[in-house]
Amino acid sequence: MELQLALDLVDIPEAIKVVAEVADSIDIVEIGTPIVINEGLHAVKAMKEAFPQLRVLADLKVMDAGGYEVMKASEAGADIVTILGVSDDATIRGAVEEGRKQGRQIMVDMINVTNLEERAREVDAMGVDYICVHAGYDHQAEGKNSFEQLRTIKSVVKNARTAVAGGIKLATLPEVVAAGPDLVIVGGGITGQDDKKAAAAQMRELIAAGA
């Protein structure tokens, strides 16, 4: 079980500063969609250069032109690229094909997928590397979480690794770990803490104990 740090509301220098505090406790650093919008793929390149030992995920939430978007993210140094599960099958297949060509991984984000079980089966069969259930900011504001969705996809996914994101904090992490995802994605549960290093280290311990 791995730990991914999601960075959303920071610029490149601030992102690098945050990661420097927690790099020993995380496996993957995510350049979130807001950073990509504000800074472009330069943020991915800067993060990979600053922390070559970490994998970098570009949260592009690709909806079309999957192959091209994955190619551009790969050029910037992304190890993993996100595609939306509500995308057309051709978009996901194109992303997977380009990912294999470039030696990169594809994560499908299931945010706003209506028939989760059916779509998870379909996406899994396309050869993606990760399938992620995700309670977005707007969902979290309504009190929703993605833990039950994780159980749903774990019951049907046979090939891809499973990931969970959305509002995960130290208090809720044991419940997440018990559900057994391959990847736990945490944003504010680390970045919003006064002592980010300690928060990340505590999460790493819990994940290691439950893996």
Side-chain angles (χ1 to χ4, degrees):
M1 199 180 299
E2 294 184 304
L3 178 59
Q4 175 173 310
L5 174 68
L7 296 171
D8 286 319
L9 303 175
V10 290
D11 57 20
I12 294 173
E14 182 65 22
I16 289 172
K17 182 181 172 187
V18 170
V19 175
E21 291 185 56
V22 303
D24 290 344
S25 298
I26 65 173
D27 302 289
I28 301 169
V29 56
E30 170 189 328
I31 301 299
T33 314
I35 302 180
V36 175
I37 289 170
N38 292 333
E39 304 271 10
L41 286 169
H42 303 295
V44 173
K45 188 172 188 293
M47 189 61 67
K48 191 65 182 177
E49 288 175 351
F51 302 97
Q53 78 278 20
L54 295 176
R55 281 176 287 156
V56 176
L57 178 143
D59 189 22
L60 302 189
K61 292 189 175 72
V62 174
M63 187 72 176
D64 191 23
Y68 177 78
E69 300 279 1
V70 169
M71 179 183 70
K72 299 312 288 182
S74 298
E75 288 173 359
D79 299 286
I80 309 169
V81 185
T82 62
I83 315 295
L84 291 179
V86 293
S87 303
D88 191 84
D89 287 0
T91 302
I92 297 174
R93 289 196 184 99
V96 169
E97 183 180 341
E98 186 64 28
R100 285 179 179 158
K101 191 187 301 181
Q102 301 286 347
R104 313 297 183 177
Q105 294 182 307
I106 303 302
M107 177 185 287
V108 169
D109 186 334
M110 302 293 276
I111 192 169
N112 290 337
V113 168
T114 47
N115 192 329
L116 196 63
E117 190 174 319
E118 180 185 351
R119 190 57 173 157
R121 277 200 186 93
E122 293 170 351
V123 167
D124 190 35
M126 293 180 211
V128 305
D129 299 284
Y130 292 91
I131 298 175
C132 177
V133 288
H134 181 189
Y137 284 115
D138 296 337
H139 290 161
Q140 291 173 49
E142 295 171 354
K144 297 177 183 175
N145 67 48
S146 46
F147 309 154
E148 193 56 46
Q149 292 182 332
L150 174 61
R151 294 186 187 95
T152 299
I153 67 163
K154 277 191 67 70
S155 70
V156 298
V157 169
K158 292 181 169 58
N159 304 305
R161 278 164 277 190
T162 57
V164 59
I168 298 170
K169 296 176 173 58
L170 200 55
T172 58
L173 186 57
E175 182 184 358
V176 176
V177 170
D182 298 294
L183 177 61
V184 178
I185 302 171
V186 180
I190 293 174
T191 61
Q193 306 308 304
D194 290 335
D195 191 340
K196 298 173 183 58
K197 185 180 179 71
Q202 285 179 281
M203 289 191 169
R204 164 57 72 199
E205 284 179 22
L206 280 172
I207 287 170

